[in-house]
Amino acid sequence: MAALVVLLFALAATGGLYAALAPAEKAKADSSSQSLAIEEGKKLYAVGCSSCHGTGGEGSSDGPPLTGVGAAAVDFQVGTGRMPAQQPGAQVPKKKNIYSQAEIDQLAAYISTFGPGPSVPSEKSYDSKGANLANGGELFRTNCAQCHNFNGQGGALTDGKYAPSLEGSSAKHIYEAMLTGPQNMPVFPDTLLPEDDKRDITAFVRNATASDSPNPGGLSLGRLGPVTEGLFGWIFGLGALIALACWIAARNAKARS
Amino acid sequence: MSTTDNAKPVRKDPAALKAADWADGRLGIYGLAKANLRKIFPDHWSFMLGEIAMFSFIIVILTGVYLTLFFNPSMGEVVYDGEYVPLQGVHMSEAYKSTLDISFEVRGGLLIRQIHHWGAIVFVAALVVHMMRVFFTGAFRKPREINWLVGWTLLFLAMFEGFLGYSLPDDLLSGTGVRFMEGAILSTPLIGTYLSFFLYGGEFPGTDIIPRFYSIHILLLPGIMVGLFVVHLFLVIYHKHTQYPGPGRTNSNVVGQPFMPVYMAKAGGFMFIVFGVISIMAAIATVNPIWAYGPYRPDHVSTDAQPDWYMGFAEGLIRVMPGWEINAWGHTLALGVFIPAMVFPLVLLAIGVYPFIESWITGDKREHHLLDRPRNVPVRTGLGAAWISLYILLLIGGGNDLFATHFHLSINAITWFIRIGIFVVPVLVFMATKRICLGLQRRDRDKVLHGRETGVIKRLPHGEFIEVHEPLSQDRLYVLTQHEQPKPFKVEGAVDENGVARKVKLTDKLRARLSRGYFGEGGQIPKPTAEEHAEITSGHH
């Protein structure tokens, strides 16, 4: 019993000493918070990403190299839950994100060391205040609607790939997606689509897909075009009318006698 | 007739009678009314499908008139400065701007626009269902073949009338449809470009197409359609309405209720029901949110660019067709567009000419006023079901992208399924439907001979359990056995008196073969004869 108590004390003392001294040593070695983040990011990377993207971001048969993807790509992919991918497939779907923003920043800091790429945009670049909705709409219809649908509801691509719905996407993620071109999406760098235009598009998408955006015509039917309208017309329009026709026809003199 | 020349105190006629008398003296309506007001119409819910089409057509015309007051069919360019904020400052055509104004600024404009559009969707749907009812019950047989063609033409025109209508607002979706049409026209060999320039008044899109569509949409096609619609109704009255077989109903009478007052009340009430249902649809659900599509520009396109449902099978044909083309002598023959554009009318023509093919096969030149129960004509019912399956497959092909995203499928897999399916599925559906019809005929035969299964289980004294079968009523027996079972057509004199084969016309051979398919063995189940029924019922229960 005594031996056990001694052992416990000894363990507690060692642990306490280590806890007290170890960070101090680290700080002595390198004091900048950036390298700290890189260090933490490297650990997160080793656990969550390296099995597909390689231990140094060189890529493998299961995942592309991450050289030059930049912090914006990491912030988008991990922030929307797409990465780490749950399984290979035609396209990696959006899912619940389990990383905190601090962890994502650490991962981004580490992955940025592989090579320079677009950094996470500042808040003012995607702030909807003062954005031009009409310009955003025109640009969206020129560059985005052919895959994402006129109202950002998403659409099909070849072989099971798809352009996801933009409903519920944050302004930052919409902006980052244009900047980095995730998965099947083309890249829209600032040289092609200046920062102001990106902000207008972001504002347009947020406005069009907002859950509280007004629906002047009543139920939106998913804003998927005439297919859902036809379905509604047949089922609820003609369906109701045929049901009523049956009701009227059943009410004749003969049926009541 | 009231007279005033005699001295007796004259009873004052009611005003209505006076008015009727005045009108009769000038229009001769008394004779017309006497002949037609007591006209008998049979009662069945499926006879009201045409009424749905008729009343939705009326509501579409009425709302359309209202819309013409505010719509400006011009492709002149303006800058939007109206109520809808996300489009303020955008360049657009006056057609699109005036449609936005109808939606956001004209009192009741959006509701009327939505009634107009939902009404059109319901109208064409009702036309198709009405046509299917006529098809499956054989109501197209003599003397109604011409009326079948009138109705079929109405459907064809209604589809194009709808297409023209949703093309007018010049929004991004409608412009894509107009572009689609241009592509189909351009695919015409030799004269495609000339036709396109002729129709669009120059290079696409030009500034002429919307005003031209407008004239056709509000003047030409509705005029023709109203005319055909009157002919259609007149012929229904002239031929008298068909009726389902039943006791007391023969080929030479009509059992039902008089037009006045019963049908007047019923149809009048139903008219308001149709108006009401379409108005409720328009009040609760958006149709064609043109403000979300944005104005049309030839460099813009959106996914989910489908036509309204009635043009969906044309979209499907284009989407599933491989992009074949032939390049020769500096010209391109775009088979990937031209073939679907040619198959498109054939899909409709197939159903349109069916009555004539059937009457050629059956050789039946008699008048028919009693309807067929669909099970009693398995081949026709099978063909109708096969046609519907083809139509639905093409609709799925037209919406392949939405099926891909919403059912998590590959769009390529769907397209290949449809490509193979349009050849295979109708055949399978035909065979399955025919088997089901024959099965139902067997069931009818069984019911006639052995009665209805009551579900009551009786235990006999020696322990055996039997289900009690209840004989059918006389009325029911009549319904199940009244139908004719024609003999298949045989080529007369295929062999002469010495047993030597004669030369037989190829068409006769074909006809005999098809007729065997309709009425030969495996085409119908022999219905029970009176003797069979008497024999089995005398010995049994």
PDB file of all heavy atoms in Angstrom, chain A residues 154-175:
ATOM      1  N   GLY A 154     -28.469  24.077 -56.881  1.00  0.00           N
ATOM      2  CA  GLY A 154     -27.609  22.958 -57.257  1.00  0.00           C
ATOM      3  C   GLY A 154     -28.110  22.255 -58.497  1.00  0.00           C
ATOM      4  O   GLY A 154     -29.211  22.520 -58.977  1.00  0.00           O
ATOM      5  N   GLY A 155     -27.277  21.367 -59.036  1.00  0.00           N
ATOM      6  CA  GLY A 155     -27.670  20.652 -60.243  1.00  0.00           C
ATOM      7  C   GLY A 155     -26.757  19.463 -60.473  1.00  0.00           C
ATOM      8  O   GLY A 155     -25.764  19.280 -59.755  1.00  0.00           O
ATOM      9  N   ALA A 156     -27.113  18.657 -61.475  1.00  0.00           N
ATOM     10  CA  ALA A 156     -26.372  17.426 -61.727  1.00  0.00           C
ATOM     11  C   ALA A 156     -25.193  17.691 -62.657  1.00  0.00           C
ATOM     12  O   ALA A 156     -25.275  18.526 -63.557  1.00  0.00           O
ATOM     13  CB  ALA A 156     -27.297  16.384 -62.349  1.00  0.00           C
ATOM     14  N   LEU A 157     -24.097  16.963 -62.412  1.00  0.00           N
ATOM     15  CA  LEU A 157     -22.987  16.907 -63.365  1.00  0.00           C
ATOM     16  C   LEU A 157     -22.867  15.463 -63.826  1.00  0.00           C
ATOM     17  O   LEU A 157     -23.674  14.618 -63.462  1.00  0.00           O
ATOM     18  CB  LEU A 157     -21.693  17.389 -62.700  1.00  0.00           C
ATOM     19  CG  LEU A 157     -21.725  18.797 -62.089  1.00  0.00           C
ATOM     20  CD1 LEU A 157     -20.429  19.078 -61.361  1.00  0.00           C
ATOM     21  CD2 LEU A 157     -21.965  19.835 -63.168  1.00  0.00           C
ATOM     22  N   THR A 158     -21.847  15.161 -64.610  1.00  0.00           N
ATOM     23  CA  THR A 158     -21.746  13.808 -65.161  1.00  0.00           C
ATOM     24  C   THR A 158     -21.368  12.781 -64.098  1.00  0.00           C
ATOM     25  O   THR A 158     -20.747  13.113 -63.090  1.00  0.00           O
ATOM     26  CB  THR A 158     -20.672  13.780 -66.248  1.00  0.00           C
ATOM     27  OG1 THR A 158     -19.482  14.334 -65.700  1.00  0.00           O
ATOM     28  CG2 THR A 158     -21.091  14.581 -67.455  1.00  0.00           C
ATOM     29  N   ASP A 159     -21.746  11.526 -64.350  1.00  0.00           N
ATOM     30  CA  ASP A 159     -21.307  10.368 -63.568  1.00  0.00           C
ATOM     31  C   ASP A 159     -21.504  10.512 -62.064  1.00  0.00           C
ATOM     32  O   ASP A 159     -20.631  10.118 -61.278  1.00  0.00           O
ATOM     33  CB  ASP A 159     -19.831  10.070 -63.855  1.00  0.00           C
ATOM     34  CG  ASP A 159     -19.642   9.608 -65.289  1.00  0.00           C
ATOM     35  OD1 ASP A 159     -20.464   8.812 -65.750  1.00  0.00           O
ATOM     36  OD2 ASP A 159     -18.679  10.059 -65.941  1.00  0.00           O
ATOM     37  N   GLY A 160     -22.617  11.044 -61.651  1.00  0.00           N
ATOM     38  CA  GLY A 160     -22.913  11.114 -60.215  1.00  0.00           C
ATOM     39  C   GLY A 160     -22.313  12.319 -59.516  1.00  0.00           C
ATOM     40  O   GLY A 160     -22.541  12.527 -58.331  1.00  0.00           O
ATOM     41  N   LYS A 161     -21.529  13.102 -60.247  1.00  0.00           N
ATOM     42  CA  LYS A 161     -21.028  14.338 -59.636  1.00  0.00           C
ATOM     43  C   LYS A 161     -22.143  15.385 -59.668  1.00  0.00           C
ATOM     44  O   LYS A 161     -23.114  15.247 -60.419  1.00  0.00           O
ATOM     45  CB  LYS A 161     -19.797  14.842 -60.402  1.00  0.00           C
ATOM     46  CG  LYS A 161     -18.615  13.887 -60.301  1.00  0.00           C
ATOM     47  CD  LYS A 161     -17.420  14.373 -61.069  1.00  0.00           C
ATOM     48  CE  LYS A 161     -17.654  14.370 -62.548  1.00  0.00           C
ATOM     49  NZ  LYS A 161     -16.620  13.728 -63.348  1.00  0.00           N
ATOM     50  N   TYR A 162     -21.980  16.410 -58.872  1.00  0.00           N
ATOM     51  CA  TYR A 162     -23.052  17.395 -58.846  1.00  0.00           C
ATOM     52  C   TYR A 162     -22.525  18.731 -58.355  1.00  0.00           C
ATOM     53  O   TYR A 162     -21.492  18.800 -57.688  1.00  0.00           O
ATOM     54  CB  TYR A 162     -24.190  16.927 -57.933  1.00  0.00           C
ATOM     55  CG  TYR A 162     -23.767  16.637 -56.523  1.00  0.00           C
ATOM     56  CD1 TYR A 162     -23.812  17.630 -55.554  1.00  0.00           C
ATOM     57  CD2 TYR A 162     -23.296  15.379 -56.160  1.00  0.00           C
ATOM     58  CE1 TYR A 162     -23.400  17.376 -54.264  1.00  0.00           C
ATOM     59  CE2 TYR A 162     -22.880  15.113 -54.871  1.00  0.00           C
ATOM     60  CZ  TYR A 162     -22.928  16.110 -53.918  1.00  0.00           C
ATOM     61  OH  TYR A 162     -22.513  15.866 -52.637  1.00  0.00           O
ATOM     62  N   ALA A 163     -23.235  19.774 -58.715  1.00  0.00           N
ATOM     63  CA  ALA A 163     -22.982  21.090 -58.142  1.00  0.00           C
ATOM     64  C   ALA A 163     -23.905  21.201 -56.944  1.00  0.00           C
ATOM     65  O   ALA A 163     -25.115  21.088 -57.097  1.00  0.00           O
ATOM     66  CB  ALA A 163     -23.301  22.179 -59.160  1.00  0.00           C
ATOM     67  N   PRO A 164     -23.351  21.375 -55.740  1.00  0.00           N
ATOM     68  CA  PRO A 164     -24.208  21.327 -54.550  1.00  0.00           C
ATOM     69  C   PRO A 164     -25.125  22.534 -54.452  1.00  0.00           C
ATOM     70  O   PRO A 164     -24.879  23.574 -55.055  1.00  0.00           O
ATOM     71  CB  PRO A 164     -23.215  21.297 -53.390  1.00  0.00           C
ATOM     72  CG  PRO A 164     -21.981  21.916 -53.928  1.00  0.00           C
ATOM     73  CD  PRO A 164     -21.946  21.602 -55.393  1.00  0.00           C
ATOM     74  N   SER A 165     -26.172  22.358 -53.668  1.00  0.00           N
ATOM     75  CA  SER A 165     -27.045  23.484 -53.362  1.00  0.00           C
ATOM     76  C   SER A 165     -26.279  24.488 -52.516  1.00  0.00           C
ATOM     77  O   SER A 165     -25.449  24.112 -51.693  1.00  0.00           O
ATOM     78  CB  SER A 165     -28.259  22.981 -52.589  1.00  0.00           C
ATOM     79  OG  SER A 165     -28.903  24.062 -51.960  1.00  0.00           O
ATOM     80  N   LEU A 166     -26.531  25.769 -52.751  1.00  0.00           N
ATOM     81  CA  LEU A 166     -25.819  26.805 -52.001  1.00  0.00           C
ATOM     82  C   LEU A 166     -26.634  27.287 -50.814  1.00  0.00           C
ATOM     83  O   LEU A 166     -26.232  28.219 -50.120  1.00  0.00           O
ATOM     84  CB  LEU A 166     -25.509  27.985 -52.930  1.00  0.00           C
ATOM     85  CG  LEU A 166     -24.734  27.602 -54.189  1.00  0.00           C
ATOM     86  CD1 LEU A 166     -24.506  28.825 -55.063  1.00  0.00           C
ATOM     87  CD2 LEU A 166     -23.407  26.961 -53.828  1.00  0.00           C
ATOM     88  N   GLU A 167     -27.760  26.636 -50.585  1.00  0.00           N
ATOM     89  CA  GLU A 167     -28.620  27.032 -49.475  1.00  0.00           C
ATOM     90  C   GLU A 167     -27.887  26.828 -48.162  1.00  0.00           C
ATOM     91  O   GLU A 167     -27.311  25.761 -47.918  1.00  0.00           O
ATOM     92  CB  GLU A 167     -29.896  26.186 -49.497  1.00  0.00           C
ATOM     93  CG  GLU A 167     -31.122  27.039 -49.584  1.00  0.00           C
ATOM     94  CD  GLU A 167     -32.367  26.234 -49.874  1.00  0.00           C
ATOM     95  OE1 GLU A 167     -32.260  25.018 -50.078  1.00  0.00           O
ATOM     96  OE2 GLU A 167     -33.439  26.851 -49.912  1.00  0.00           O
ATOM     97  N   GLY A 168     -27.884  27.826 -47.310  1.00  0.00           N
ATOM     98  CA  GLY A 168     -27.269  27.704 -45.995  1.00  0.00           C
ATOM     99  C   GLY A 168     -25.759  27.852 -45.996  1.00  0.00           C
ATOM    100  O   GLY A 168     -25.127  27.711 -44.949  1.00  0.00           O
ATOM    101  N   SER A 169     -25.162  28.104 -47.165  1.00  0.00           N
ATOM    102  CA  SER A 169     -23.710  28.286 -47.187  1.00  0.00           C
ATOM    103  C   SER A 169     -23.372  29.675 -46.641  1.00  0.00           C
ATOM    104  O   SER A 169     -24.062  30.647 -46.929  1.00  0.00           O
ATOM    105  CB  SER A 169     -23.175  28.173 -48.616  1.00  0.00           C
ATOM    106  OG  SER A 169     -23.451  26.902 -49.128  1.00  0.00           O
ATOM    107  N   SER A 170     -22.277  29.759 -45.863  1.00  0.00           N
ATOM    108  CA  SER A 170     -21.902  31.059 -45.312  1.00  0.00           C
ATOM    109  C   SER A 170     -21.224  31.894 -46.393  1.00  0.00           C
ATOM    110  O   SER A 170     -20.710  31.366 -47.382  1.00  0.00           O
ATOM    111  CB  SER A 170     -20.950  30.873 -44.133  1.00  0.00           C
ATOM    112  OG  SER A 170     -19.696  30.446 -44.603  1.00  0.00           O
ATOM    113  N   ALA A 171     -21.254  33.209 -46.202  1.00  0.00           N
ATOM    114  CA  ALA A 171     -20.656  34.114 -47.185  1.00  0.00           C
ATOM    115  C   ALA A 171     -19.179  33.784 -47.371  1.00  0.00           C
ATOM    116  O   ALA A 171     -18.663  33.789 -48.494  1.00  0.00           O
ATOM    117  CB  ALA A 171     -20.839  35.554 -46.730  1.00  0.00           C
ATOM    118  N   LYS A 172     -18.488  33.459 -46.281  1.00  0.00           N
ATOM    119  CA  LYS A 172     -17.056  33.168 -46.364  1.00  0.00           C
ATOM    120  C   LYS A 172     -16.818  31.934 -47.246  1.00  0.00           C
ATOM    121  O   LYS A 172     -15.956  31.933 -48.118  1.00  0.00           O
ATOM    122  CB  LYS A 172     -16.487  32.931 -44.959  1.00  0.00           C
ATOM    123  CG  LYS A 172     -14.980  32.730 -44.955  1.00  0.00           C
ATOM    124  CD  LYS A 172     -14.399  32.679 -43.550  1.00  0.00           C
ATOM    125  CE  LYS A 172     -14.633  31.312 -42.932  1.00  0.00           C
ATOM    126  NZ  LYS A 172     -13.750  31.064 -41.778  1.00  0.00           N
ATOM    127  N   HIS A 173     -17.620  30.898 -47.025  1.00  0.00           N
ATOM    128  CA  HIS A 173     -17.411  29.663 -47.788  1.00  0.00           C
ATOM    129  C   HIS A 173     -17.738  29.859 -49.262  1.00  0.00           C
ATOM    130  O   HIS A 173     -17.075  29.289 -50.133  1.00  0.00           O
ATOM    131  CB  HIS A 173     -18.235  28.523 -47.189  1.00  0.00           C
ATOM    132  CG  HIS A 173     -17.683  28.033 -45.876  1.00  0.00           C
ATOM    133  ND1 HIS A 173     -18.478  27.506 -44.888  1.00  0.00           N
ATOM    134  CD2 HIS A 173     -16.417  28.022 -45.406  1.00  0.00           C
ATOM    135  CE1 HIS A 173     -17.724  27.182 -43.850  1.00  0.00           C
ATOM    136  NE2 HIS A 173     -16.467  27.483 -44.134  1.00  0.00           N
ATOM    137  N   ILE A 174     -18.784  30.642 -49.569  1.00  0.00           N
ATOM    138  CA  ILE A 174     -19.115  30.908 -50.973  1.00  0.00           C
ATOM    139  C   ILE A 174     -17.941  31.627 -51.641  1.00  0.00           C
ATOM    140  O   ILE A 174     -17.493  31.265 -52.733  1.00  0.00           O
ATOM    141  CB  ILE A 174     -20.403  31.767 -51.071  1.00  0.00           C
ATOM    142  CG1 ILE A 174     -21.600  30.974 -50.551  1.00  0.00           C
ATOM    143  CG2 ILE A 174     -20.649  32.215 -52.509  1.00  0.00           C
ATOM    144  CD1 ILE A 174     -22.847  31.818 -50.349  1.00  0.00           C
ATOM    145  N   TYR A 175     -17.413  32.607 -50.921  1.00  0.00           N
ATOM    146  CA  TYR A 175     -16.283  33.371 -51.450  1.00  0.00           C
ATOM    147  C   TYR A 175     -15.062  32.467 -51.663  1.00  0.00           C
ATOM    148  O   TYR A 175     -14.413  32.501 -52.713  1.00  0.00           O
ATOM    149  CB  TYR A 175     -15.945  34.504 -50.469  1.00  0.00           C
ATOM    150  CG  TYR A 175     -15.037  35.552 -51.046  1.00  0.00           C
ATOM    151  CD1 TYR A 175     -15.550  36.738 -51.549  1.00  0.00           C
ATOM    152  CD2 TYR A 175     -13.654  35.350 -51.110  1.00  0.00           C
ATOM    153  CE1 TYR A 175     -14.728  37.702 -52.080  1.00  0.00           C
ATOM    154  CE2 TYR A 175     -12.818  36.303 -51.648  1.00  0.00           C
ATOM    155  CZ  TYR A 175     -13.363  37.490 -52.126  1.00  0.00           C
ATOM    156  OH  TYR A 175     -12.541  38.430 -52.663  1.00  0.00           O
TER     157      TYR A 175
END
